[in-house]
Amino acid sequence: MKKNLISVIILALLVVNLVLTAVMMFSVMSVNQKTSRLVGDIASALALDFSDPAAEQEAVEVPIADIETYRFADQLNITLKDTGDGKTHYFITGVSFSMNSKDKGYKKYGEKMEEQADLLKSCVYNVISNYALEDLRADNNEAAAQEILKQIQEMYDSEFIFKVNFIDFMYQ
């Protein structure tokens, strides 16, 4: 009789424990969802992005069939920022722009890139001339290319140009 009574008490405690665990889980989950929603709202209000910046740069995926390029006919000879060593340094390069032919900006601007070559060259000159020789070599021109891309996208108010390429570049 004592064994049956103890078994009944253990079963009752087990059921109570199960009910209390379920209540606790539902109450914690609702608070957790509310907290997550609040953090998301605050982050969007502050325009924060919790993603990896490197992944963001790689986010532009354009199929090869949709890529058009525009390249300056001549190479650019750009005087670099003075490094204080008494020598004038130059960056000689060909520049091309990769464009998404399916973007709405391409139909508006991309098909007449030749007419706007001077604007694009000016942008390239302005950005590159602010870099010293060591700065360009340090990251293989990537920072300069990103800065040129950013300024061109702002100039056109479109992202149909998604990459700036330096071709046959040489430092002097």
Side-chain angles (χ1 to χ4, degrees):
M1 181 81 175
K2 287 184 179 182
K3 286 186 177 181
N4 282 341
L5 186 59
I6 291 175
S7 295
V8 169
I9 291 173
I10 290 174
L11 181 64
L13 289 174
L14 181 69
V15 169
V16 168
N17 187 16
L18 185 64
V19 168
L20 290 176
T21 302
V23 168
M24 185 177 67
M25 283 300 288
F26 285 118
S27 66
V28 168
M29 289 301 291
S30 67
V31 171
N32 187 20
Q33 288 174 347
K34 289 177 186 175
T35 304
S36 176
R37 205 171 316 128
L38 177 66
V39 169
D41 291 343
I42 291 172
S44 65
L46 296 175
L48 295 178
D49 188 11
F50 294 117
S51 63
D52 183 21
E56 246 180 64
Q57 293 177 353
E58 300 297 324
V60 178
E61 291 291 328
V62 179
I64 194 79
D66 296 340
I67 297 176
E68 295 290 331
T69 58
Y70 171 73
R71 181 176 179 177
F72 295 135
D74 53 341
Q75 286 197 333
L76 305 180
N77 188 354
I78 305 168
T79 305
L80 299 176
K81 184 169 79 173
D82 187 18
T83 59
D85 63 358
K87 297 179 182 176
T88 303
H89 297 283
Y90 298 96
F91 182 61
I92 302 168
T93 185
V95 179
S96 75
F97 302 98
S98 298
M99 302 177 287
N100 182 357
S101 63
K102 298 296 183 189
D103 192 282
K104 61 184 176 188
Y106 178 78
K107 291 171 182 38
K108 187 173 182 181
Y109 303 111
E111 295 171 350
K112 51 185 175 183
M113 293 293 285
E114 188 66 38
E115 299 169 9
Q116 301 160 348
D118 291 336
L119 287 172
L120 296 169
K121 284 182 184 179
S122 174
C123 183
V124 172
Y125 277 112
N126 290 338
V127 171
I128 298 291
S129 64
N130 290 325
Y131 283 87
L133 178 64
E134 294 80 24
D135 298 337
L136 287 173
R137 285 185 174 169
D139 68 351
N140 199 23
N141 312 323
E142 191 58 36
Q146 289 299 322
E147 181 64 26
I148 292 168
L149 179 63
K150 179 182 166 194
Q151 287 190 13
I152 288 174
Q153 287 177 342
E154 287 175 3
M155 180 172 60
Y156 284 114
D157 194 26
S158 177
E159 294 183 0
F160 73 97
I161 297 177
F162 64 90
K163 187 170 184 187
V164 175
N165 309 296
F166 295 117
I167 304 161
D168 299 330
F169 58 88
M170 181 174 56
Y171 307 102
Q172 182 180 4

